[in-house]
Each structure stands twice: as C-alpha cells, then as structure tokens.
Amino acid sequence: MKIMNQGLEDEMEVWGYRPCLWKRILVGVGSVCSGGLLLLLLYWLPEWGVKGTCTHTSLRDAHTLLLRTTDEFKQWFRARVHVISAPGEKPFDSLDLPSTAQAANGGLCASSEEHHGKSRQPVQINYFSHHSTKYYWNDVMQNFESHKGLEDVKMSCGSIHSDHSPGLPKSLQDYRRLFFGENEIAVRVPSLFTLLMKEVLNPFYIFQLFSVILWSAEDYYYYATAIVFMSVISIATSLYTIKKQYVMLHDMVAAHSVVRVSVCRGSKDIEQALSTDLVPGDVVIIPANGMIMPCDAVLTHGTCIVNESMLTGESVPVTKTSLPASGEEAARSFDMEEHKRHVLFCGTHVIQTRFYAGELVQAVVVRTGFSTEKGQLVRSILHPKPTDFKLYRDAYLFLLCLVGVAGIGFIYTIILSIMNKVPAKTIITESLDIITITVPPALPAAMTAGIVYAQRRLKRVGIFCISPQRINMCGQLNLVCFDKTGTLTEDGLDLWGVQTAESGRFLPPEADPAKESLVDTVFVACMATCHSLTKIEGELSGDPLDLKMFSATGWILEEPTEEETALHNPIMPTVVRPPTHSVPEANQNNMELSELPSCEIGIVRQFPFSSTLQRMSVVVRKLGEKHMKAYLKGAPEVVAHLCKQHTVPQSFTETLETYTRQGFRVIALAHRQLESKLSWHKVQSLGRDLIETNMEFIGLIIMQNKIKEETAGVLLELRQANIRTVMVTGDNMLTAISVARDCGMVRAHEKVIIADAVPPKDFHPASITWHYTENPAQTDKEHRTVEINLEDAVLDKRVTQQEQNYHFAVTGRAFAVLTEHFPQLVQKLVLRATVFARMAPDQKTELVEVLQSIDYTVGMCGDGANDCGALKRAHSGISLSELEASVASPFTSTTSNISCVPNLIREGRAALVTSFCVFKFMALYSIIQYLSVTLLYSILSNLGDFQFLFIDVAIILIIAFTITYDFSESEPGVERAGEATPAVQSDLRSAALLGSDPDRHLPGLPGPGLPLGTTAELV
C-alpha cells in the first residue's frame, strides 16, 4: 500500500491488483445462481468488486488499482491502469531529438523525426485517471504522481525568462501533450441511458423492483402499479434535475474554453493555434484588446489589466506586471501563490494590455486543463465530497434493524410453513412477503412528499431548489457563512467625508472635497493622484475605493495614447487635472490666458498597494515645477508611523477610534517634497523605502461600506436563534472587519483579534502573531499580549456566542500557513473566528470542511463564481446569483439579499420534522402489519388482496402524502403574534395523527410567534 498526494486535500491510499481467472469464474457462477444480485453487490461495494475478481500485486505490475480516501469518509474507488509509449519518462525531460509517441489504445500523439540518423527508443509508462486528473508511474518514487505544470520543475523567475521566452518547438509541444493532454476543461454530459442506469441501480429501486415482481406473482397488481407509477415519476424528476445541472455546468465552462491564440515558435516565428493545443512552456501573445484566458500563464513582457471576478468575486480590475527578470526577485524560486500578481489565471478576462512601442505582451503557459485555478474549481463541483447528515445515516441504520426483524419473520414463516406442510410455492411467496411488509417500498416516496411540499413553498418566496434532499439539511443549520460583496453589502465603498490636518491639528470634517476652497490643496492633489486607476475604452476603471476617492475630487484623468508613447518616451506619465470651471471666474477675468495657474499633475512613478505594507504611494510632478512630490495613502496607523511626529495631530488616536467604532473605513494621507536633484530616471530606480519616509500628515478620508437594508435584521434574527454567522470574503481585512461591525456580526463591545501567520523563511520557522484591530500601534509600543485560551473553547462547548467577548479575524495567507504548519490550532481557531478575508475559492471550500469536521452543520450564502466550491461543499449552499454560482448551489434565491436564509431554515426545519414524523409513521405501520401477518400465518391465514390494498392505499399512502401538506392560505415563513406558522401547524397535525400530545413543543421548531429556536437532536 502506498500514499498518493501525501499531505494534500485529495490524499489517497492505493493498492495494486491484477485479474485472477478462477475468482472471475466463481463470481460469474455466483452471479448466475443469485440472479445477478452478486453483481449488484460488487457494484455497490467497489472494494469487494476488486478483491473478489483480482489478486494483490505490486503497483508497478498492477492492471487495476483500488483507491481509498484518507479523510473521515473513507471512500473507495477503482481505476484501470493504461499504458502510453513516449520518448521520455517525464514531461520536462530534455529530449535531444523529437520522437514517435503513440498511445497504447491507438491514437498518434507526436510526430517522428530523425536526428543524426538515430531514433530514440520509446518508454512504456503506466498511468490512470481519477476525478479528471491523470497519475503517471514514477520509477524513482515507486508510486504514481500527477503533473500539475511548469511549476513541477523548480526554477527561478529569471530562468523562466531565459529558458522559455523563445517558446517551444512543435515536436516538444506534441511530446508534452502526451502527459498533459488537451488544454480543455471538459465537462462530459452523460447520456440519459447512463444516468438512468446509475439511478435505477440504487438499492431502494432494486428493492422496489423485487417487491413489484413478487406482488405481480401473487396477482396483487393494484398496489404494484401504484409503486411503479411513483417510482417512474421520482426517477424522471431526478434524471431531469441531474441532466440540467450537467448541461448548465457544461455551457458555463465551454463558453470560452476554445479560442484561437498566437503562439511563439522559437526565433520570433508566430503561428495561430487553438487554445486546446497549448501545453506548459508555450509562449502566448496577449492581444491589445484583451481575451478570456484559456490557461494559467505568467507574464514575461508587458502589463495587463485583468478582471478576476471569476476567482475572487470582486469585480475590480487588477494590474498584472511582468515577472522580474533581474535582481534579487529574479533569483527566487517561482511560486504561483507568491507571484500571483504576475500570473494570468484561466477564465479571467484580460481587459487591456500595455506595452512599449513595437513590443508584444507575452506570457508563458504554466498550467493547463483541470490543473488550472478554474479547472480545480470545476473539479470541486463535479466531484464534491459526500455530505454527512445524521438523519439519513440513522435512517439507514434503522432500516437495517427492520431488515433484521424481517429476517426473523422470514425464518419463522419458513419453519411454520414446513411444519404445516404448506406447498413450496406458497412458502416462498409468503416468506418473501414478510420482507416487503417489514421494509415498506413506499417509504422513499412518502418521505419525499414533505420535501416536495417544502420545495413548492420555497418557490413561492423566490427560492429555487435543484437538490431537494438538501432541504432537510437546512433544518439543522447552526452556522452560516456569508460572502461580503454583493451578499451582505452593496458593491464598493461610499465617501462619507474628509478631515484635513494643518499645523498638527485637525480641521472640521468636510463632506465634499470638490469644493473650491479645497481644489488647490495638497490634500485634494493627493486624492487625485494616489491611486491605481486606468482608462479602459474611455471609462475609468480600477479599485472601487480608488474610483470613489477620485470621482469625489471632480478631477480628470488623461492617459497617453499608443502613438504618443511611440513618438515621445516609452514612459509617458498619466496626467490628472482639475476641471476648468474650478478656477474662479473673477480670477479668469483679471488674468491673461498664459497667466492662468496650471494644476496639471503628472504621475511619474507608482508603488502599488501592498496588503503586507498596508499602503501605496506615487511620485508626481506638477506642471511648471522643478521638484517632485511623493504622496502616500494607507492604513492610518501605518501612515502616522511614517510621518514626522509634529505633523500628526495629538487627537489622532481619539479621532480615529471615533470613526472606526462607528464602522467607517478610514484612510490616512501624507505627502513629502523630494529633493530637487532627483531626476526622472533616478526616481525610476529608487526603492519605496527611500520615498516613504519623513512624510507630512495631511488628513483622513472617511469611507463607509453600505450594507444592504435587510442584512442587520437577518443577522440579528440568526443570532437570536443561536445560529452562528461567519464572513468569508475575498476583500481586504480592514474592510471586512468594518462591515462585520456595521452589520452586527461583531458587536460594539466585542474585540477583534487579527491572527497573522508567516511561513518559514531564511531559517526562521513559521510563526503566528496576534494583535487587536483597535490601535495595534499602541499595543506594540506597550508590548501588551493577547490572552487567548483556545483550550476552553474546545473543552467547554456550553460557552455560547453571547458569552464571547472577542472574535478572531484571519486572512487567506494566514489560513494557508496555519493549515500547513499549525494544523492542531486550526479547529480551535475557527471556533472563535468570525472574519475570513482575502480567501481564495479553494480556501473557502477548505474552511467549510474544517467547520464540518467540528460538528457544525454549515450553510453558505454567496453570489460569485468564486463561491462555487464552498456552495457545493456546504450542507446547504444558497446562491444570490442566477449565473455561475447557481450551477453549484443547491438553492438559488431570486432576491439579491440574505432575507432568504431564515425562510430556507424555517422550511428546512418544517421539512425535517415532517420527514421524521413520516418515517416514524411508516415504520410503525410496517411493524403493526408485520405482527398482524405473522399472527395470521400461525393459523394458516392471511389478509386478502383488497384488505392489503385498503391498508396500503386508503389508509397509509393518503395519510403519508397529506400529513405534510400545508392547507393554510397564509404565506410560508410569516409569523403572526399568537399564531403558529404553517410549518408548525403542519407538524401539529403530524403529531396528532401519530397519537402525540399536540400541545407539546415539537423538537427543532420555533414556538408560535417566536423567532427561530435552536435545533434539537431529532434522531
């Protein structure tokens, strides 16, 4: 036994097997004797199927592999080993000559050529496919491994430039395609026949088929027909839903999967090719008007402006720069995560490119197909981990108990019939009848009825469901994760006002920075220049915060055209200037045209925003002035630390705390006049540390991230129901914490502790730092420590959220380090963590899995493609968008706010309780009928066909299908004072029909006129 993907999320154990003739003969004989039941059993249990037909062997010689996941689900899979013939053993082997490579199953995969009159001998390589990933045999490791892409070869950034800039020759491209396959995220839509076979081979349908055949043999056609009718409807509905999901996912992925691209072939040769032909190492040219990226590629020449909303959920154009080719950065090993600011990810939209005149924007392909970021997202949708749900697990255990009871009745009937010399045919039919009576075939249809009614009520309030079985799971949700942008809040931030500072003191706040008295101030000049905005097709585009800040000034931004860049200088600056009407008319009348003051400012150099440094800066020159200025903006504490202390107002800390406690996002501005000897070219080579020092503080910008009207009320309702709420966003930490406070997820008296983790570097081990968000600078100076008892959080589960007075906030980077280097802390940390910022799509999914591992029943509410994996993995995923997210999400809401969440939980709790009641009702009916028939058998008697029909149809089916029906006319989920909800009324009827006390409070449901209560353990 070997371990594959060790330490990764999809870690698996693998065993090798080869076919065994005598075992196959025995299985064939057993299948014939059992009427095919043995084959079904081996189909349901893959490990039995492999062990029953094969013998154990080494992985190298294996024909069939048995795989088992190492997670809590311990899933079994079988895979067939294939063979390819290739001139090398690994995709990045240096081949001195092109080769002939042909797959064992027939297709020609590469061209053949001669080199110095010799041809290279092909190598036979074993491989298998599992969950859209190919694994190849490695003789050195004596195990199978997957090839992700160019990063498999540990290389520096500089070597990517030197070794891959020319591109790949056609022969080497064909060779690599042997291992990586076509660059395509292929979502195969199964045929209806394939889906039908998978559906009808479900154990319940096989049991129903057995029951129908038995009843038909006894001429009990009426009930058999009813069961067949219900089964056909159930199968047809299920097939339609599954097929629709596959088609939607296929259409979403295939929309931009195949495009024509320009590929470099050695010495400046460029050829047109289909994107499906790309392999890692190819060099593609990004057109000036942009494109949808068909692969993951790293920029080596030029700059791109990219919309990464497909990955991050934030529709903010991001500037991607070329990978460093020289200096310290170039010597560092290339890493996708560390150098993602240079990587164009598959599925993202390159809006615009920037380049020097006569040069092309080039990128080296790093990953293709399912190895890309988008491919991994689609894989998580196609092959989700199973969702464990206690009701279903216990229901199956109870059914096994019923099967045991039926077995006792089966043996009793046979013995009794033999003793009374009953004919053999009658013995067989009556003994098998006991089994169909004890385990009712109508049970799945009866339990589904309540779910169908709940689905209809959900549709009435604008919630559509593509996975009805998940409705029951909504009834036990005790934690809901929310995306931020577009889910809890409106898109972007709004400017509340500005507060300038002069001579070490704050002036009164101003609502409008565009007013005439501020136009010619350093503060407004800083607002107008310190940003990363660009013009795309004449429209300003960039970070929403920068957009709001710049538009508030009323200034105009102008960028050099391609012709100007070619004629003058490759580094033409972006220019900003105030609108012409900003100059007072009285002054215009008294001045000649040449004397009018010019406020045009050119942005000479930009130091982009760094989440680590929490600041950005620019170097500018005003038209007509000889010296340059540096403008800085960033987190207030960081900016204040970089300023001369006498320029920072004494009331800085108090003013900042006043704004942050109100939930505002505060940004500080500073400036500095640079030395006159600094020339244009010297500035281009200066480091930011030399620029961003000895600054002068000039004021604060106060922004507010408006939350949706419904958000605070819904979160309060969930809190009162003891349902924990968590924010999981791709946005930055400060904004996320501000929104969490504003919407009530973190209350005013509760502290937020940022848990930051740093990976090992330069012989320093990985470390974790903790600090309060409230005035961390002061905390550092006083060397205060944050006292955290994580053990109590785990050991004492009686501690409620109301008793907690602190919350953790974690970034995606810190979460990755904690998962890898401090796995023992992750579960303890997430018990108190409320804000997760800068989370990548796969990290959102991983967080959901961690929460599920500590016995939370998790809901996820989001609206972007970046939420797809988490929406699919959660017990209940709710999409607020009808686009990409709805493909993966079991529930889609037509209202774009989170008010759908309480409605869904209410209906889930109603459906859960009614399903449980129906299960008890059907089980009780089965036991009663089992005892009745067993007693009648003892006197050689039985119920007549019409007696069975009356019991099964008139009494059982009618009650089972109406026990969960809502007869009331009021809208679902609406509670009136002193009146029970329709869901509660329905369950009171259920309790009455079962003989329970209708006045007793039902488990897991709110009382009349009360908010949602905690979910009781139902099973």
Side-chain angles (χ1 to χ4, degrees), residues 193-266:
F193 179 77
T194 305
L195 292 174
L196 180 64
M197 285 298 101
K198 286 184 177 180
E199 189 71 19
V200 298
L201 291 180
N202 183 292
F204 262 119
Y205 287 124
I206 296 298
F207 179 66
Q208 285 184 337
L209 177 64
F210 163 75
S211 302
V212 167
I213 292 171
L214 180 64
W215 294 332
S216 299
E218 296 179 291
D219 298 331
Y220 186 40
Y221 296 114
Y222 306 103
Y223 192 55
T225 304
I227 292 294
V228 169
F229 179 71
M230 288 187 295
S231 299
V232 168
I233 291 176
S234 177
I235 290 171
T237 305
S238 180
L239 286 182
Y240 172 77
T241 304
I242 295 171
K243 182 84 172 179
K244 184 180 177 183
Q245 280 181 278
Y246 270 110
V247 170
M248 287 174 66
L249 182 59
H250 175 270
D251 292 345
M252 181 192 86
V253 172
H256 305 287
S257 60
V258 182
V259 294
R260 294 201 71 84
V261 292
S262 299
V263 184
C264 295
R265 291 275 180 247

Side-chain angles (χ1 to χ4, degrees), residues 569-607:
N569 193 304
I571 318 175
M572 282 285 288
T574 298
V575 174
V576 295
R577 58 180 175 80
T580 52
H581 60 76
S582 296
V583 181
E585 290 184 14
N587 292 349
Q588 289 186 26
N589 296 332
N590 297 332
M591 291 183 185
E592 295 293 331
L593 187 62
S594 58
E595 295 177 351
L596 283 174
S598 174
C599 292
E600 285 191 7
I601 302 174
I603 302 172
V604 177
R605 182 151 187 219
Q606 182 186 101
F607 296 99

Side-chain angles (χ1 to χ4, degrees), residues 777-788:
Q778 183 181 345
T779 303
D780 291 338
K781 287 177 186 176
E782 297 176 2
H783 299 286
R784 289 173 54 194
T785 58
V786 181
E787 294 182 6
I788 303 161

Side-chain angles (χ1 to χ4, degrees), residues 275-309:
S275 58
T276 50
D277 294 334
L278 295 175
V279 297
D282 270 328
V283 176
V284 294
I285 294 169
I286 312 297
N289 58 348
M291 65 186 295
I292 303 288
M293 287 302 296
C295 58
D296 288 352
V298 59
L299 266 176
T300 54
H301 292 91
T303 305
C304 291
I305 298 165
V306 187
N307 184 342
E308 291 189 330
S309 60

Side-chain angles (χ1 to χ4, degrees), residues 626-645:
K626 291 184 179 181
H627 58 264
M628 298 184 190
K629 287 184 179 178
Y631 289 125
L632 172 76
K633 76 169 183 186
E637 300 87 354
V638 175
V639 172
H641 185 67
L642 296 171
C643 289
K644 298 172 183 175
Q645 287 308 302

Side-chain angles (χ1 to χ4, degrees), residues 680-692:
W680 183 298
H681 292 287
K682 282 184 181 178
V683 167
Q684 302 302 322
S685 59
L686 279 179
R688 68 188 302 166
D689 291 339
L690 296 173
I691 300 289
E692 298 168 348

Side-chain angles (χ1 to χ4, degrees), residues 35 95 227 580 894 964:
L95 300 180
I227 292 294
T580 52
T894 54
T964 57

Side-chain angles (χ1 to χ4, degrees), residues 77-251:
F77 302 96
R78 64 183 298 170
R80 185 179 295 278
V81 176
H82 303 278
V83 180
I84 59 167
S85 183
E89 294 183 355
K90 294 187 176 181
F92 299 105
D93 283 350
S94 57
L95 300 180
D96 295 330
L97 47 138
S99 57
T100 303
Q102 190 160 349
N105 19 8
L108 185 67
C109 300
S111 61
S112 63
E113 294 181 19
E114 294 292 325
H115 182 73
H116 298 301
K118 297 179 182 178
S119 63
R120 186 159 176 164
Q121 289 297 322
V123 181
Q124 303 294 316
I125 306 172
N126 291 352
Y127 77 95
F128 73 93
S129 297
H130 176 68
H131 285 180
S132 307
T133 302
K134 284 185 177 179
Y135 296 86
Y136 293 88
W137 177 253
N138 186 322
D139 264 331
V140 178
M141 294 171 53
Q142 287 294 298
N143 200 352
F144 287 92
E145 64 174 349
S146 62
H147 300 303
K148 295 189 182 301
L150 202 61
E151 60 187 318
D152 291 345
V153 186
K154 302 299 181 185
M155 60 172 63
S156 66
C157 299
S159 62
I160 290 181
H161 278 275
S162 58
D163 299 343
H164 293 88
S165 288
L168 296 178
K170 189 74 167 63
S171 57
L172 194 54
Q173 185 195 49
D174 291 339
Y175 166 66
R176 288 188 182 177
R177 199 178 302 116
L178 275 174
F179 295 90
F180 293 106
E182 289 195 335
N183 174 34
E184 184 180 14
I185 303 172
V187 178
R188 311 291 180 201
V189 180
S191 65
L192 276 174
F193 179 77
T194 305
L195 292 174
L196 180 64
M197 285 298 101
K198 286 184 177 180
E199 189 71 19
V200 298
L201 291 180
N202 183 292
F204 262 119
Y205 287 124
I206 296 298
F207 179 66
Q208 285 184 337
L209 177 64
F210 163 75
S211 302
V212 167
I213 292 171
L214 180 64
W215 294 332
S216 299
E218 296 179 291
D219 298 331
Y220 186 40
Y221 296 114
Y222 306 103
Y223 192 55
T225 304
I227 292 294
V228 169
F229 179 71
M230 288 187 295
S231 299
V232 168
I233 291 176
S234 177
I235 290 171
T237 305
S238 180
L239 286 182
Y240 172 77
T241 304
I242 295 171
K243 182 84 172 179
K244 184 180 177 183
Q245 280 181 278
Y246 270 110
V247 170
M248 287 174 66
L249 182 59
H250 175 270
D251 292 345

